[in-house]
Amino acid sequence: MVEVLAAESYLGQHDAEKLADAYRFLRRIENRLQAVDDGQVHDLPTDEMNRCRLAFAMDYDGWPSLLQQLDAHRNFVASCFESRLQLPELPGADTASNPGIAGLWQDKGDHESARELLQQTGYRDPKRALQLIKSTRAGILQRHPGERGRRLLDKAIPALINAASSTDDAESTLERVLRIVDTIALRTAYVALLVENPGVLARLTNIVAISPFIAEMLTHYPLLLDELIDPRVLEHVPRLDELENEFADFMQDRSRDEVELRMEALSEFQQVSVMRIALADVLGKLPLMKVSDHLTRVAEYVVRDVMQTGRYQLELKHGKPANTQFCVVAYGKFGGLELGYGSDLDLVFIHDVTDEVETVGGQPIAVSLFYLRLVQRIISWLSTATHAGALYEVDTRLRPSGTAGLLVTGIEAFARYQEEQAWSWEHQALFRARAIAGDPQLMDQFETLRRNILSQPRDREVLRRRVCEMREKMLTELTGRATGFDPKQDLGGIIDVEFLVQFLVLVHAADHPSLLHYPDTIRGLEGLEQIGVLSNEESETLSSAYRELRAAVHRSALQGTPALLEEAEFSAQRATVGEFWRRFVSDE
């Protein structure tokens, strides 16, 4: 990347070479530190023995000579940073501390004076604010942050208290930023980042004030704070082609031989990407459908890489599954290009093994067993937490025969099941299915099979009755939950629109196979308009209602609240969806 910056004239050649040298030196120090007890260590040693050990590991005569070289690299990097990245404070976020707030954080003075000061600073509930501050201080001090850590915290937290006071909900913002500080309190590098870069502190405060979801991400994955260094993070909207390039750059030096490190890198890429997408979302820079496109694309990159890494590892041990193919199929929101924040991944796994042949090379095993082990690794690696967090929850219940079926299915067996045993709702689900990773020939074969199954002639009345029965069953399972309107599950909500589109597609696909070109609901509505089943006005009306309902679910996710709204909300949209349901599907 430094070479690219130099080639594009963002850096001079001399500076680029020195930055590359500094980066390699700092990474070597990090590697040597973490080699001790395999720990996630980032602080330099303070005792003489470990200092000598580090100097020896770095090929230096002693600690003073190592420290001299380290300081030289750090000073150069700092000068480059300061000359090229001016970090302005955001409007309205005053991060300047004052003696009163600083004394309050250090527990100087009485409670009454502290509450009065907080009220004057802008807190409407100073009692709650003071309680948050005191409990945070007590919790941090119990963990002994050290002298340097305490000095940094004594600068960072008063500034955060001031910054939070200017937000719309000062107390909630304060609670979120203090939770983040509590997480990083013993990681002095992150606290120093806030102290030394007022722009980062300002951006942090504004971001957590806007979205509890992003605040929660920062709390669980503090490495995301690094993203706030660049002031463009609040302005730049990532494009899909940029995501692909960033993924390639991010993973190019991550070896498939080091599975744990590669999974951590994937998790880091996913967390960074999702946070950037969420920021663009809450700031109104990405429309709903683009948000889902971006979230879906990130998941595709991750799943594809996990599959390739798993295959690479198994081939090292057992050889290649010659003359056979494998692919991963996405269903549900993932298949329909409609992923939301925190969505599970509905996955089905398919191979084309017909004979009990063995792998070629290594320690041979049956090819069917090879693919079973590959699937087990994919599921495990996607859902197992690493230091950088878990990737995704995986749901495989949409495979043939559900939880009673095989974890990976042969393409011929899959075809027979869909033709002879599948329920109507499974064909509805197949509408939103698409192959996302694996051998291209088998992926194309799956798509051909999907189109053939979905374009079979169907008895409209039989299909209508089965769709209604499945919808009634789903509604029955909702009984007993809290009152309110669930924009996804309840009558007149998202599922009704999806079922309506799937029903009409299955009815008309035999005569209009173009309906099967896309697996998502919005373009399904556009396809139904193009063949004359819906008018332009009807298609636009349903699309608008569907987008607004999905937007409500997105907003709830970003606010960290359940998607359960007041009964009166979206009454117009619900009435519209209900009218179309009665017209096309219901027998009422």
Side-chain angles (χ1 to χ4, degrees):
M1 183 57 73
V2 171
E3 291 84 353
V4 174
L5 292 174
E8 297 292 333
S9 300
Y10 289 105
L11 285 174
Q13 189 60 41
H14 176 68
D15 284 355
E17 291 173 359
K18 291 192 67 175
L19 276 176
D21 288 342
Y23 179 78
R24 285 190 288 265
F25 181 86
L26 293 168
R27 286 305 299 268
R28 282 180 59 215
I29 285 187
E30 180 186 47
N31 290 337
R32 301 303 186 272
L33 286 170
Q34 295 185 357
V36 179
D37 298 326
D38 195 26
Q40 292 296 309
V41 180
H42 298 91
D43 292 334
L44 292 172
T46 56
D47 60 288
E48 188 64 27
M49 183 187 73
N50 281 312
R51 283 180 171 180
C52 289
R53 179 160 56 182
L54 179 60
F56 177 78
M58 292 290 291
D59 297 324
Y60 280 80
D61 294 337
W63 175 253
S65 58
L66 173 63
L67 187 60
Q68 182 180 9
Q69 184 62 63
L70 173 61
D71 287 341
H73 282 306
R74 292 179 64 189
N75 289 336
F76 176 75
V77 172
S79 67
C80 284
F81 186 92
E82 291 169 4
S83 64
R84 290 169 173 83
L85 283 178
Q86 299 299 320
L87 300 175
E89 295 184 19
L90 295 183
D94 178 13
T95 59
S97 184
N98 64 58
I101 294 294
L104 184 153
W105 162 248
Q106 294 169 17
D107 204 20
K108 298 176 181 177
D110 59 87
H111 286 195
E112 186 60 35
S113 299
R115 285 195 293 267
E116 288 179 6
L117 177 59
L118 288 169
Q119 190 165 25
Q120 293 168 5
T121 306
Y123 288 92
R124 290 187 291 272
D125 188 351
K127 182 178 179 181
R128 178 188 171 197
L130 182 60
Q131 183 179 8
L132 289 169
I133 294 167
K134 286 186 171 296
S135 62
T136 300
R137 176 179 170 81
I140 290 174
L141 292 182
Q142 284 181 354
R143 285 174 285 153
H144 306 291
E147 184 59 32
R148 180 170 181 263
R150 288 189 63 169
R151 288 199 308 270
L152 290 169
L153 290 164
D154 286 347
K155 293 179 180 179
I157 294 183
L160 287 167
I161 295 170
N162 267 332
S165 69
S166 63
T167 61
D168 290 339
D169 187 350
E171 289 76 19
S172 295
T173 302
L174 178 65
E175 182 174 11
R176 293 168 200 156
V177 296
L178 289 180
R179 283 189 64 203
I180 294 170
V181 172
D182 186 66
T183 301
I184 65 173
L186 301 186
R187 306 183 189 187
T188 53
Y190 285 127
V191 183
L193 177 68
L194 300 178
V195 172
E196 296 168 6
N197 301 282
V200 175
L201 190 146
R203 282 186 281 281
L204 171 64
T205 308
N206 277 265
I207 287 166
V208 302
I210 294 170
S211 173
F213 171 80
I214 299 176
E216 196 69 14
M217 289 187 70
L218 290 164
T219 301
H220 285 99
Y221 313 110
L223 62 88
L224 296 175
L225 289 170
D226 293 333
E227 291 299 301
L228 303 185
I229 291 175
D230 189 343
R232 294 173 300 174
V233 72
L234 296 181
E235 295 297 329
H236 178 64
V237 179
R239 301 192 310 267
L240 289 178
D241 60 336
E242 289 178 326
L243 279 175
E244 183 174 9
N245 293 334
E246 287 174 7
F247 179 76
D249 290 341
F250 200 89
M251 301 302 295
Q252 65 178 348
D253 295 326
R254 317 297 174 114
S255 171
R256 296 191 192 278
D257 292 308
E258 300 289 342
V259 173
E260 184 176 349
L261 293 178
R262 193 166 184 92
M263 292 306 112
E264 286 186 8
L266 281 173
S267 184
E268 185 176 341
F269 168 80
Q270 188 245 21
Q271 298 293 345
V272 168
S273 299
V274 170
M275 188 186 78
R276 292 171 61 198
I277 294 165
L279 279 172
D281 189 355
V282 299
L283 294 173
K285 298 179 181 295
L286 264 186
L288 169 67
M289 307 310 292
K290 293 293 185 182
V291 168
S292 289
D293 285 345
H294 281 64
L295 292 173
T296 300
R297 189 65 63 85
V298 169
E300 287 175 11
Y301 296 148
V302 170
V303 171
R304 190 176 301 128
D305 194 85
V306 167
M307 181 207 71
Q308 291 168 348
T309 301
R311 188 162 189 161
Y312 170 82
Q313 288 279 324
L314 285 169
E315 287 180 355
L316 282 179
K317 183 175 182 180
H318 298 295
K320 294 182 178 295
N323 301 318
T324 61
Q325 299 188 63
F326 173 85
C327 73
V328 182
V329 178
Y331 270 73
K333 292 180 182 178
F334 192 13
L337 307 168
E338 297 169 342
L339 272 189
Y341 301 108
S343 293
D344 294 348
L345 302 186
D346 291 302
L347 299 179
V348 169
F349 305 95
I350 293 177
H351 60 58
D352 67 350
V353 179
T354 55
D355 300 318
E356 276 305 314
V357 296
E358 291 189 334
T359 56
V360 179
Q363 304 171 23
I365 58 173
V367 173
S368 57
L369 178 58
F370 177 96
Y371 287 130
L372 174 59
R373 290 183 179 176
L374 174 57
V375 169
Q376 290 170 334
R377 290 191 181 201
I378 292 171
I379 295 172
S380 174
W381 290 348
L382 285 173
S383 55
T384 300
T386 69
H387 292 296
L391 287 164
Y392 296 97
E393 290 297 321
V394 176
D395 192 337
T396 62
R397 290 176 295 178
L398 289 176
R399 66 187 187 270
S401 301
T403 55
L406 298 172
L407 203 54
V408 56
T409 308
I411 187 71
E412 292 183 1
F414 184 88
R416 285 195 302 274
Y417 178 85
Q418 293 292 338
E419 291 169 353
E420 301 171 6
Q421 301 178 52
W423 297 82
S424 294
W425 67 263
E426 290 178 284
H427 288 168
Q428 289 178 244
L430 190 62
F431 169 69
R432 294 206 293 177
R434 58 193 179 90
I436 59 164
D439 295 295
Q441 186 176 341
L442 187 60
M443 294 171 69
D444 290 342
Q445 189 177 348
F446 170 81
E447 178 56 25
T448 300
L449 169 61
R450 170 185 172 271
R451 287 171 174 266
N452 290 340
I453 295 295
L454 296 181
S455 60
Q456 293 175 355
R458 286 174 170 80
D459 184 309
R460 183 181 184 123
E461 177 58 26
V462 172
L463 179 62
R464 184 200 63 75
R465 186 170 62 252
R466 289 175 177 171
V467 169
C468 287
E469 288 172 353
M470 175 53 66
R471 187 69 182 105
E472 285 295 327
K473 180 180 179 181
M474 294 174 70
L475 289 169
T476 301
E477 293 174 353
L478 295 176
T479 56
R481 63 114 209 261
T483 57
F485 169 55
D486 184 332
K488 178 182 177 182
Q489 301 280 355
D490 281 341
L491 284 174
I494 290 171
I495 287 180
D496 279 355
V497 181
E498 293 172 346
F499 270 40
L500 171 63
V501 170
Q502 291 157 16
F503 168 72
L504 292 175
V505 167
L506 289 174
V507 167
H508 295 283
D511 297 321
H512 302 279
S514 62
L515 290 171
L516 305 174
H517 189 59
Y518 295 108
D520 61 292
T521 301
I522 291 295
R523 281 180 287 197
L525 286 168
E526 293 172 356
L528 291 167
E529 176 194 337
Q530 290 168 5
I531 67 170
V533 174
L534 297 173
S535 69
N536 175 263
E537 182 181 358
E538 290 169 337
S539 174
E540 287 295 328
T541 299
L542 265 176
S543 293
S544 176
Y546 183 68
R547 286 189 177 97
E548 290 167 6
L549 290 163
R550 283 192 58 206
V553 176
H554 270 259
R555 286 195 298 271
S556 295
L558 288 170
Q559 292 302 313
T561 58
L564 201 62
L565 311 175
E566 294 292 332
E567 288 284 357
E569 290 193 67
F570 295 95
S571 57
Q573 292 87 342
R574 296 176 68 184
T576 296
V577 174
E579 179 184 343
F580 277 93
W581 181 269
R582 287 187 294 274
R583 175 180 162 191
F584 286 102
V585 186
S586 175
D587 58 355
E588 294 179 5

